[in-house]
Amino acid sequence: MNAQNRMELNPQEQSVVKISSLTAVGNIENLKIQLNAGLDNGLSINEIKEMLTQLYAYCGFPRSLNAINTFKKVLEERKAKGINDQEGKKIVVENNPPDKYEQGRKVLEALTKTPQAKPAPGFGEFAPRIDVFLKEHLFADIFASDVLNFKQRELVTISALASLDGVEAQLQSHIGIGKNMGITEEQLVQTADLIENTVSKTQANTIRKIISKPLKSITEPDMMVRIAEIEIVPEYLEEYKRILKENAEASVEKEKGVIAIFPMYQQENPLQIRIVEIYADKTTYNSHLQSSHFQHYKTTTLKMVKSLKLVEMNAVDKEVMLGVFKKLK
């Protein structure tokens, strides 16, 4: 990957952001797509391996291992199709300096351009073992591999931290380090835009806030909220509920802008179904109508529905909705 300063992220770097953010949040389905795209954009096998290995320090072993196993399957599938991806620079595992803590401390000084005390003030004095792990393992063992340079590693870290809740302080620190390593303001803005697409506007706004850029509104002016009032033909009730459940689950899982499809029925009359539907905007709703799962629901339940009424609603307070419907984030 080209390490020279540019105004925008190149295609390889864009893939780094997407792969890192999707690994951090555990979105395996879309991660598989972006791993393929990253290889197609010219990332080497070992560059991606190094990214996924480094990410365990920021999002934990489970998500790092899940991503590595997904990458392994992607490579097997591509090989079966006759695609030969470049291996890239060799990954060296051994790292045996005279003083590993000192090696990591010097790396952190190079990254932060700030003297690093031994132990680190605050957390390092309170919990010395974590300070040792941070210096000897993350900034020594992991950073010792030159498969990725420091700028590329910081892009991985920033993308992961920006995708996670509750780590704004660490994100701010690494954005400062990223700038030290040559990541430009324009590239950070582009990183935020990419994370908006892979994760959410809320997480993308964590970068925008730190670099003093305008935040994007979480809700769209044309967000759609409605209640569907449906009466079911008695002999089809159980079959209808099964098909409805499948459609609701598929819609929320597969369609990013489908915030909620929540089916209910009246206790005194189970034939009376009510569905709360929330769509990010009208474009999302129109796309939802064309989805295969909705078309299946519509065609198979046509004979089961005795009556249907769609009641358009407005939220009393859209900000409250952010806490109730997490997918609005």
Side-chain angles (χ1 to χ4, degrees), residues 168-203:
E168 286 80 6
Q170 290 81 3
L171 174 61
Q172 184 167 6
S173 295
H174 279 280
I175 284 178
I177 293 173
K179 288 181 177 180
N180 290 341
M181 296 300 105
I183 298 176
T184 66
E185 191 100 339
E186 292 80 4
Q187 290 170 340
L188 289 170
V189 169
Q190 192 176 2
T191 298
D193 292 340
L194 293 170
I195 289 173
E196 178 179 328
N197 291 326
T198 56
V199 184
S200 68
K201 289 181 181 177
T202 295
Q203 294 309 130

PDB file of all heavy atoms in Angstrom, residues 168-203:
ATOM      1  N   GLU A 168     -14.274   6.742  22.996  1.00  0.00           N
ATOM      2  CA  GLU A 168     -13.963   8.019  22.355  1.00  0.00           C
ATOM      3  C   GLU A 168     -12.606   8.563  22.783  1.00  0.00           C
ATOM      4  O   GLU A 168     -11.893   9.186  21.991  1.00  0.00           O
ATOM      5  CB  GLU A 168     -15.059   9.048  22.655  1.00  0.00           C
ATOM      6  CG  GLU A 168     -16.361   8.829  21.891  1.00  0.00           C
ATOM      7  CD  GLU A 168     -17.224   7.739  22.528  1.00  0.00           C
ATOM      8  OE1 GLU A 168     -16.857   7.242  23.620  1.00  0.00           O
ATOM      9  OE2 GLU A 168     -18.265   7.383  21.938  1.00  0.00           O
ATOM     10  N   ALA A 169     -12.229   8.364  24.066  1.00  0.00           N
ATOM     11  CA  ALA A 169     -10.933   8.878  24.529  1.00  0.00           C
ATOM     12  C   ALA A 169      -9.789   8.217  23.786  1.00  0.00           C
ATOM     13  O   ALA A 169      -8.828   8.885  23.358  1.00  0.00           O
ATOM     14  CB  ALA A 169     -10.799   8.649  26.038  1.00  0.00           C
ATOM     15  N   GLN A 170      -9.873   6.887  23.621  1.00  0.00           N
ATOM     16  CA  GLN A 170      -8.826   6.170  22.878  1.00  0.00           C
ATOM     17  C   GLN A 170      -8.828   6.570  21.408  1.00  0.00           C
ATOM     18  O   GLN A 170      -7.773   6.691  20.772  1.00  0.00           O
ATOM     19  CB  GLN A 170      -9.017   4.665  23.035  1.00  0.00           C
ATOM     20  CG  GLN A 170      -8.719   4.127  24.413  1.00  0.00           C
ATOM     21  CD  GLN A 170      -9.871   4.312  25.396  1.00  0.00           C
ATOM     22  OE1 GLN A 170     -10.943   4.805  25.040  1.00  0.00           O
ATOM     23  NE2 GLN A 170      -9.656   3.889  26.635  1.00  0.00           N
ATOM     24  N   LEU A 171     -10.025   6.778  20.848  1.00  0.00           N
ATOM     25  CA  LEU A 171     -10.126   7.202  19.452  1.00  0.00           C
ATOM     26  C   LEU A 171      -9.458   8.551  19.263  1.00  0.00           C
ATOM     27  O   LEU A 171      -8.721   8.757  18.289  1.00  0.00           O
ATOM     28  CB  LEU A 171     -11.592   7.260  19.017  1.00  0.00           C
ATOM     29  CG  LEU A 171     -11.857   7.818  17.614  1.00  0.00           C
ATOM     30  CD1 LEU A 171     -11.185   6.958  16.551  1.00  0.00           C
ATOM     31  CD2 LEU A 171     -13.356   7.921  17.351  1.00  0.00           C
ATOM     32  N   GLN A 172      -9.701   9.465  20.169  1.00  0.00           N
ATOM     33  CA  GLN A 172      -9.086  10.789  20.067  1.00  0.00           C
ATOM     34  C   GLN A 172      -7.564  10.685  20.092  1.00  0.00           C
ATOM     35  O   GLN A 172      -6.873  11.344  19.304  1.00  0.00           O
ATOM     36  CB  GLN A 172      -9.568  11.690  21.198  1.00  0.00           C
ATOM     37  CG  GLN A 172      -9.032  13.111  21.100  1.00  0.00           C
ATOM     38  CD  GLN A 172      -9.755  14.058  22.036  1.00  0.00           C
ATOM     39  OE1 GLN A 172     -10.583  13.660  22.841  1.00  0.00           O
ATOM     40  NE2 GLN A 172      -9.447  15.342  21.924  1.00  0.00           N
ATOM     41  N   SER A 173      -7.041   9.848  20.987  1.00  0.00           N
ATOM     42  CA  SER A 173      -5.588   9.668  21.059  1.00  0.00           C
ATOM     43  C   SER A 173      -5.028   9.119  19.752  1.00  0.00           C
ATOM     44  O   SER A 173      -4.005   9.594  19.247  1.00  0.00           O
ATOM     45  CB  SER A 173      -5.229   8.723  22.214  1.00  0.00           C
ATOM     46  OG  SER A 173      -5.580   9.290  23.458  1.00  0.00           O
ATOM     47  N   HIS A 174      -5.716   8.123  19.182  1.00  0.00           N
ATOM     48  CA  HIS A 174      -5.198   7.495  17.969  1.00  0.00           C
ATOM     49  C   HIS A 174      -5.401   8.369  16.740  1.00  0.00           C
ATOM     50  O   HIS A 174      -4.631   8.256  15.773  1.00  0.00           O
ATOM     51  CB  HIS A 174      -5.819   6.110  17.788  1.00  0.00           C
ATOM     52  CG  HIS A 174      -5.151   5.070  18.634  1.00  0.00           C
ATOM     53  ND1 HIS A 174      -3.961   4.474  18.276  1.00  0.00           N
ATOM     54  CD2 HIS A 174      -5.488   4.558  19.839  1.00  0.00           C
ATOM     55  CE1 HIS A 174      -3.587   3.630  19.215  1.00  0.00           C
ATOM     56  NE2 HIS A 174      -4.494   3.653  20.182  1.00  0.00           N
ATOM     57  N   ILE A 175      -6.400   9.240  16.754  1.00  0.00           N
ATOM     58  CA  ILE A 175      -6.506  10.204  15.649  1.00  0.00           C
ATOM     59  C   ILE A 175      -5.312  11.142  15.684  1.00  0.00           C
ATOM     60  O   ILE A 175      -4.731  11.479  14.634  1.00  0.00           O
ATOM     61  CB  ILE A 175      -7.844  10.980  15.738  1.00  0.00           C
ATOM     62  CG1 ILE A 175      -8.987  10.070  15.250  1.00  0.00           C
ATOM     63  CG2 ILE A 175      -7.785  12.255  14.904  1.00  0.00           C
ATOM     64  CD1 ILE A 175     -10.356  10.698  15.335  1.00  0.00           C
ATOM     65  N   GLY A 176      -4.894  11.539  16.891  1.00  0.00           N
ATOM     66  CA  GLY A 176      -3.680  12.350  17.007  1.00  0.00           C
ATOM     67  C   GLY A 176      -2.457  11.607  16.510  1.00  0.00           C
ATOM     68  O   GLY A 176      -1.623  12.169  15.777  1.00  0.00           O
ATOM     69  N   ILE A 177      -2.344  10.321  16.867  1.00  0.00           N
ATOM     70  CA  ILE A 177      -1.224   9.508  16.392  1.00  0.00           C
ATOM     71  C   ILE A 177      -1.293   9.350  14.873  1.00  0.00           C
ATOM     72  O   ILE A 177      -0.277   9.432  14.172  1.00  0.00           O
ATOM     73  CB  ILE A 177      -1.231   8.129  17.073  1.00  0.00           C
ATOM     74  CG1 ILE A 177      -0.925   8.269  18.570  1.00  0.00           C
ATOM     75  CG2 ILE A 177      -0.218   7.189  16.418  1.00  0.00           C
ATOM     76  CD1 ILE A 177      -1.085   6.983  19.357  1.00  0.00           C
ATOM     77  N   GLY A 178      -2.503   9.117  14.372  1.00  0.00           N
ATOM     78  CA  GLY A 178      -2.666   8.970  12.925  1.00  0.00           C
ATOM     79  C   GLY A 178      -2.193  10.194  12.168  1.00  0.00           C
ATOM     80  O   GLY A 178      -1.529  10.089  11.124  1.00  0.00           O
ATOM     81  N   LYS A 179      -2.499  11.366  12.703  1.00  0.00           N
ATOM     82  CA  LYS A 179      -2.029  12.596  12.068  1.00  0.00           C
ATOM     83  C   LYS A 179      -0.509  12.673  12.118  1.00  0.00           C
ATOM     84  O   LYS A 179       0.138  13.112  11.153  1.00  0.00           O
ATOM     85  CB  LYS A 179      -2.655  13.804  12.750  1.00  0.00           C
ATOM     86  CG  LYS A 179      -4.143  13.986  12.456  1.00  0.00           C
ATOM     87  CD  LYS A 179      -4.695  15.222  13.156  1.00  0.00           C
ATOM     88  CE  LYS A 179      -6.158  15.459  12.803  1.00  0.00           C
ATOM     89  NZ  LYS A 179      -6.694  16.652  13.483  1.00  0.00           N
ATOM     90  N   ASN A 180       0.070  12.238  13.234  1.00  0.00           N
ATOM     91  CA  ASN A 180       1.532  12.195  13.323  1.00  0.00           C
ATOM     92  C   ASN A 180       2.136  11.299  12.247  1.00  0.00           C
ATOM     93  O   ASN A 180       3.233  11.554  11.755  1.00  0.00           O
ATOM     94  CB  ASN A 180       1.966  11.671  14.694  1.00  0.00           C
ATOM     95  CG  ASN A 180       1.691  12.647  15.815  1.00  0.00           C
ATOM     96  OD1 ASN A 180       1.498  13.840  15.582  1.00  0.00           O
ATOM     97  ND2 ASN A 180       1.682  12.149  17.045  1.00  0.00           N
ATOM     98  N   MET A 181       1.410  10.231  11.914  1.00  0.00           N
ATOM     99  CA  MET A 181       1.913   9.256  10.937  1.00  0.00           C
ATOM    100  C   MET A 181       1.554   9.617   9.503  1.00  0.00           C
ATOM    101  O   MET A 181       1.838   8.865   8.581  1.00  0.00           O
ATOM    102  CB  MET A 181       1.379   7.859  11.272  1.00  0.00           C
ATOM    103  CG  MET A 181       1.859   7.309  12.625  1.00  0.00           C
ATOM    104  SD  MET A 181       3.663   7.160  12.710  1.00  0.00           S
ATOM    105  CE  MET A 181       4.080   8.559  13.759  1.00  0.00           C
ATOM    106  N   GLY A 182       0.873  10.743   9.307  1.00  0.00           N
ATOM    107  CA  GLY A 182       0.616  11.207   7.944  1.00  0.00           C
ATOM    108  C   GLY A 182      -0.816  11.063   7.459  1.00  0.00           C
ATOM    109  O   GLY A 182      -1.103  11.343   6.287  1.00  0.00           O
ATOM    110  N   ILE A 183      -1.738  10.614   8.305  1.00  0.00           N
ATOM    111  CA  ILE A 183      -3.147  10.557   7.905  1.00  0.00           C
ATOM    112  C   ILE A 183      -3.686  11.984   7.895  1.00  0.00           C
ATOM    113  O   ILE A 183      -3.596  12.703   8.898  1.00  0.00           O
ATOM    114  CB  ILE A 183      -3.969   9.670   8.859  1.00  0.00           C
ATOM    115  CG1 ILE A 183      -3.455   8.233   8.824  1.00  0.00           C
ATOM    116  CG2 ILE A 183      -5.452   9.712   8.497  1.00  0.00           C
ATOM    117  CD1 ILE A 183      -4.148   7.299   9.805  1.00  0.00           C
ATOM    118  N   THR A 184      -4.236  12.405   6.768  1.00  0.00           N
ATOM    119  CA  THR A 184      -4.673  13.787   6.611  1.00  0.00           C
ATOM    120  C   THR A 184      -6.097  13.985   7.117  1.00  0.00           C
ATOM    121  O   THR A 184      -6.847  13.031   7.316  1.00  0.00           O
ATOM    122  CB  THR A 184      -4.619  14.202   5.133  1.00  0.00           C
ATOM    123  OG1 THR A 184      -5.602  13.438   4.395  1.00  0.00           O
ATOM    124  CG2 THR A 184      -3.241  13.951   4.537  1.00  0.00           C
ATOM    125  N   GLU A 185      -6.444  15.259   7.318  1.00  0.00           N
ATOM    126  CA  GLU A 185      -7.811  15.606   7.728  1.00  0.00           C
ATOM    127  C   GLU A 185      -8.826  15.098   6.717  1.00  0.00           C
ATOM    128  O   GLU A 185      -9.883  14.583   7.073  1.00  0.00           O
ATOM    129  CB  GLU A 185      -7.926  17.135   7.862  1.00  0.00           C
ATOM    130  CG  GLU A 185      -9.199  17.608   8.527  1.00  0.00           C
ATOM    131  CD  GLU A 185      -9.001  17.949   9.993  1.00  0.00           C
ATOM    132  OE1 GLU A 185      -8.041  17.475  10.599  1.00  0.00           O
ATOM    133  OE2 GLU A 185      -9.829  18.692  10.519  1.00  0.00           O
ATOM    134  N   GLU A 186      -8.505  15.236   5.435  1.00  0.00           N
ATOM    135  CA  GLU A 186      -9.417  14.779   4.379  1.00  0.00           C
ATOM    136  C   GLU A 186      -9.612  13.266   4.443  1.00  0.00           C
ATOM    137  O   GLU A 186     -10.720  12.760   4.209  1.00  0.00           O
ATOM    138  CB  GLU A 186      -8.874  15.175   3.001  1.00  0.00           C
ATOM    139  CG  GLU A 186      -8.878  16.666   2.719  1.00  0.00           C
ATOM    140  CD  GLU A 186      -7.700  17.394   3.364  1.00  0.00           C
ATOM    141  OE1 GLU A 186      -6.837  16.719   3.968  1.00  0.00           O
ATOM    142  OE2 GLU A 186      -7.654  18.634   3.255  1.00  0.00           O
ATOM    143  N   GLN A 187      -8.551  12.542   4.754  1.00  0.00           N
ATOM    144  CA  GLN A 187      -8.660  11.090   4.858  1.00  0.00           C
ATOM    145  C   GLN A 187      -9.484  10.677   6.073  1.00  0.00           C
ATOM    146  O   GLN A 187     -10.203   9.681   6.030  1.00  0.00           O
ATOM    147  CB  GLN A 187      -7.258  10.476   4.911  1.00  0.00           C
ATOM    148  CG  GLN A 187      -6.520  10.579   3.585  1.00  0.00           C
ATOM    149  CD  GLN A 187      -5.059  10.191   3.680  1.00  0.00           C
ATOM    150  OE1 GLN A 187      -4.462  10.182   4.773  1.00  0.00           O
ATOM    151  NE2 GLN A 187      -4.448   9.872   2.542  1.00  0.00           N
ATOM    152  N   LEU A 188      -9.411  11.450   7.149  1.00  0.00           N
ATOM    153  CA  LEU A 188     -10.248  11.178   8.327  1.00  0.00           C
ATOM    154  C   LEU A 188     -11.718  11.434   8.014  1.00  0.00           C
ATOM    155  O   LEU A 188     -12.594  10.677   8.454  1.00  0.00           O
ATOM    156  CB  LEU A 188      -9.789  12.027   9.507  1.00  0.00           C
ATOM    157  CG  LEU A 188      -8.449  11.626  10.128  1.00  0.00           C
ATOM    158  CD1 LEU A 188      -7.986  12.689  11.112  1.00  0.00           C
ATOM    159  CD2 LEU A 188      -8.560  10.267  10.827  1.00  0.00           C
ATOM    160  N   VAL A 189     -11.997  12.486   7.270  1.00  0.00           N
ATOM    161  CA  VAL A 189     -13.385  12.758   6.853  1.00  0.00           C
ATOM    162  C   VAL A 189     -13.900  11.606   6.004  1.00  0.00           C
ATOM    163  O   VAL A 189     -15.038  11.140   6.187  1.00  0.00           O
ATOM    164  CB  VAL A 189     -13.463  14.088   6.068  1.00  0.00           C
ATOM    165  CG1 VAL A 189     -14.839  14.240   5.411  1.00  0.00           C
ATOM    166  CG2 VAL A 189     -13.179  15.269   6.985  1.00  0.00           C
ATOM    167  N   GLN A 190     -13.081  11.132   5.084  1.00  0.00           N
ATOM    168  CA  GLN A 190     -13.483  10.014   4.230  1.00  0.00           C
ATOM    169  C   GLN A 190     -13.658   8.745   5.054  1.00  0.00           C
ATOM    170  O   GLN A 190     -14.577   7.946   4.794  1.00  0.00           O
ATOM    171  CB  GLN A 190     -12.449   9.805   3.129  1.00  0.00           C
ATOM    172  CG  GLN A 190     -12.918   8.852   2.031  1.00  0.00           C
ATOM    173  CD  GLN A 190     -11.921   8.741   0.900  1.00  0.00           C
ATOM    174  OE1 GLN A 190     -10.850   9.344   0.929  1.00  0.00           O
ATOM    175  NE2 GLN A 190     -12.268   7.947  -0.107  1.00  0.00           N
ATOM    176  N   THR A 191     -12.798   8.533   6.047  1.00  0.00           N
ATOM    177  CA  THR A 191     -12.950   7.382   6.945  1.00  0.00           C
ATOM    178  C   THR A 191     -14.297   7.427   7.649  1.00  0.00           C
ATOM    179  O   THR A 191     -14.987   6.401   7.760  1.00  0.00           O
ATOM    180  CB  THR A 191     -11.816   7.370   7.991  1.00  0.00           C
ATOM    181  OG1 THR A 191     -10.560   7.224   7.315  1.00  0.00           O
ATOM    182  CG2 THR A 191     -11.979   6.220   8.966  1.00  0.00           C
ATOM    183  N   ALA A 192     -14.684   8.607   8.122  1.00  0.00           N
ATOM    184  CA  ALA A 192     -15.998   8.753   8.768  1.00  0.00           C
ATOM    185  C   ALA A 192     -17.126   8.404   7.805  1.00  0.00           C
ATOM    186  O   ALA A 192     -18.082   7.708   8.176  1.00  0.00           O
ATOM    187  CB  ALA A 192     -16.170  10.175   9.292  1.00  0.00           C
ATOM    188  N   ASP A 193     -17.018   8.857   6.560  1.00  0.00           N
ATOM    189  CA  ASP A 193     -18.059   8.562   5.575  1.00  0.00           C
ATOM    190  C   ASP A 193     -18.162   7.062   5.314  1.00  0.00           C
ATOM    191  O   ASP A 193     -19.270   6.520   5.169  1.00  0.00           O
ATOM    192  CB  ASP A 193     -17.771   9.298   4.263  1.00  0.00           C
ATOM    193  CG  ASP A 193     -17.911  10.810   4.398  1.00  0.00           C
ATOM    194  OD1 ASP A 193     -18.569  11.262   5.355  1.00  0.00           O
ATOM    195  OD2 ASP A 193     -17.348  11.538   3.547  1.00  0.00           O
ATOM    196  N   LEU A 194     -17.019   6.385   5.259  1.00  0.00           N
ATOM    197  CA  LEU A 194     -17.029   4.941   5.036  1.00  0.00           C
ATOM    198  C   LEU A 194     -17.643   4.208   6.225  1.00  0.00           C
ATOM    199  O   LEU A 194     -18.418   3.252   6.053  1.00  0.00           O
ATOM    200  CB  LEU A 194     -15.612   4.435   4.781  1.00  0.00           C
ATOM    201  CG  LEU A 194     -14.956   4.904   3.474  1.00  0.00           C
ATOM    202  CD1 LEU A 194     -13.474   4.551   3.454  1.00  0.00           C
ATOM    203  CD2 LEU A 194     -15.659   4.297   2.265  1.00  0.00           C
ATOM    204  N   ILE A 195     -17.323   4.638   7.442  1.00  0.00           N
ATOM    205  CA  ILE A 195     -17.872   4.000   8.639  1.00  0.00           C
ATOM    206  C   ILE A 195     -19.369   4.259   8.749  1.00  0.00           C
ATOM    207  O   ILE A 195     -20.120   3.424   9.259  1.00  0.00           O
ATOM    208  CB  ILE A 195     -17.104   4.472   9.889  1.00  0.00           C
ATOM    209  CG1 ILE A 195     -15.704   3.855   9.866  1.00  0.00           C
ATOM    210  CG2 ILE A 195     -17.839   4.105  11.180  1.00  0.00           C
ATOM    211  CD1 ILE A 195     -14.773   4.354  10.933  1.00  0.00           C
ATOM    212  N   GLU A 196     -19.826   5.399   8.258  1.00  0.00           N
ATOM    213  CA  GLU A 196     -21.270   5.647   8.215  1.00  0.00           C
ATOM    214  C   GLU A 196     -21.963   4.561   7.399  1.00  0.00           C
ATOM    215  O   GLU A 196     -23.055   4.099   7.750  1.00  0.00           O
ATOM    216  CB  GLU A 196     -21.555   7.019   7.612  1.00  0.00           C
ATOM    217  CG  GLU A 196     -23.038   7.332   7.483  1.00  0.00           C
ATOM    218  CD  GLU A 196     -23.310   8.709   6.911  1.00  0.00           C
ATOM    219  OE1 GLU A 196     -22.503   9.628   7.162  1.00  0.00           O
ATOM    220  OE2 GLU A 196     -24.327   8.870   6.204  1.00  0.00           O
ATOM    221  N   ASN A 197     -21.329   4.128   6.316  1.00  0.00           N
ATOM    222  CA  ASN A 197     -21.923   3.100   5.456  1.00  0.00           C
ATOM    223  C   ASN A 197     -21.767   1.692   6.017  1.00  0.00           C
ATOM    224  O   ASN A 197     -22.656   0.854   5.857  1.00  0.00           O
ATOM    225  CB  ASN A 197     -21.304   3.171   4.055  1.00  0.00           C
ATOM    226  CG  ASN A 197     -21.718   4.423   3.305  1.00  0.00           C
ATOM    227  OD1 ASN A 197     -22.830   4.907   3.460  1.00  0.00           O
ATOM    228  ND2 ASN A 197     -20.819   4.969   2.503  1.00  0.00           N
ATOM    229  N   THR A 198     -20.639   1.407   6.672  1.00  0.00           N
ATOM    230  CA  THR A 198     -20.418   0.055   7.173  1.00  0.00           C
ATOM    231  C   THR A 198     -21.040  -0.183   8.542  1.00  0.00           C
ATOM    232  O   THR A 198     -21.437  -1.301   8.855  1.00  0.00           O
ATOM    233  CB  THR A 198     -18.912  -0.263   7.272  1.00  0.00           C
ATOM    234  OG1 THR A 198     -18.285   0.724   8.104  1.00  0.00           O
ATOM    235  CG2 THR A 198     -18.263  -0.282   5.911  1.00  0.00           C
ATOM    236  N   VAL A 199     -21.114   0.878   9.368  1.00  0.00           N
ATOM    237  CA  VAL A 199     -21.619   0.715  10.734  1.00  0.00           C
ATOM    238  C   VAL A 199     -22.837   1.595  10.973  1.00  0.00           C
ATOM    239  O   VAL A 199     -23.966   1.115  10.993  1.00  0.00           O
ATOM    240  CB  VAL A 199     -20.509   1.005  11.780  1.00  0.00           C
ATOM    241  CG1 VAL A 199     -21.027   0.736  13.198  1.00  0.00           C
ATOM    242  CG2 VAL A 199     -19.282   0.150  11.509  1.00  0.00           C
ATOM    243  N   SER A 200     -22.630   2.906  11.169  1.00  0.00           N
ATOM    244  CA  SER A 200     -23.770   3.791  11.447  1.00  0.00           C
ATOM    245  C   SER A 200     -23.333   5.246  11.427  1.00  0.00           C
ATOM    246  O   SER A 200     -22.138   5.558  11.522  1.00  0.00           O
ATOM    247  CB  SER A 200     -24.372   3.474  12.824  1.00  0.00           C
ATOM    248  OG  SER A 200     -23.468   3.840  13.848  1.00  0.00           O
ATOM    249  N   LYS A 201     -24.303   6.134  11.322  1.00  0.00           N
ATOM    250  CA  LYS A 201     -24.018   7.566  11.390  1.00  0.00           C
ATOM    251  C   LYS A 201     -23.494   7.962  12.761  1.00  0.00           C
ATOM    252  O   LYS A 201     -22.611   8.814  12.876  1.00  0.00           O
ATOM    253  CB  LYS A 201     -25.287   8.373  11.080  1.00  0.00           C
ATOM    254  CG  LYS A 201     -25.736   8.334   9.641  1.00  0.00           C
ATOM    255  CD  LYS A 201     -26.970   9.188   9.449  1.00  0.00           C
ATOM    256  CE  LYS A 201     -27.458   9.141   8.012  1.00  0.00           C
ATOM    257  NZ  LYS A 201     -28.707   9.921   7.829  1.00  0.00           N
ATOM    258  N   THR A 202     -24.060   7.365  13.810  1.00  0.00           N
ATOM    259  CA  THR A 202     -23.621   7.702  15.164  1.00  0.00           C
ATOM    260  C   THR A 202     -22.144   7.438  15.340  1.00  0.00           C
ATOM    261  O   THR A 202     -21.398   8.271  15.878  1.00  0.00           O
ATOM    262  CB  THR A 202     -24.426   6.908  16.210  1.00  0.00           C
ATOM    263  OG1 THR A 202     -25.788   7.314  16.151  1.00  0.00           O
ATOM    264  CG2 THR A 202     -23.902   7.155  17.609  1.00  0.00           C
ATOM    265  N   GLN A 203     -21.677   6.266  14.906  1.00  0.00           N
ATOM    266  CA  GLN A 203     -20.258   5.937  15.059  1.00  0.00           C
ATOM    267  C   GLN A 203     -19.398   6.814  14.162  1.00  0.00           C
ATOM    268  O   GLN A 203     -18.316   7.235  14.565  1.00  0.00           O
ATOM    269  CB  GLN A 203     -20.027   4.460  14.775  1.00  0.00           C
ATOM    270  CG  GLN A 203     -20.678   3.516  15.780  1.00  0.00           C
ATOM    271  CD  GLN A 203     -20.345   3.852  17.209  1.00  0.00           C
ATOM    272  OE1 GLN A 203     -21.225   3.963  18.048  1.00  0.00           O
ATOM    273  NE2 GLN A 203     -19.073   4.031  17.519  1.00  0.00           N
TER     274      GLN A 203
END
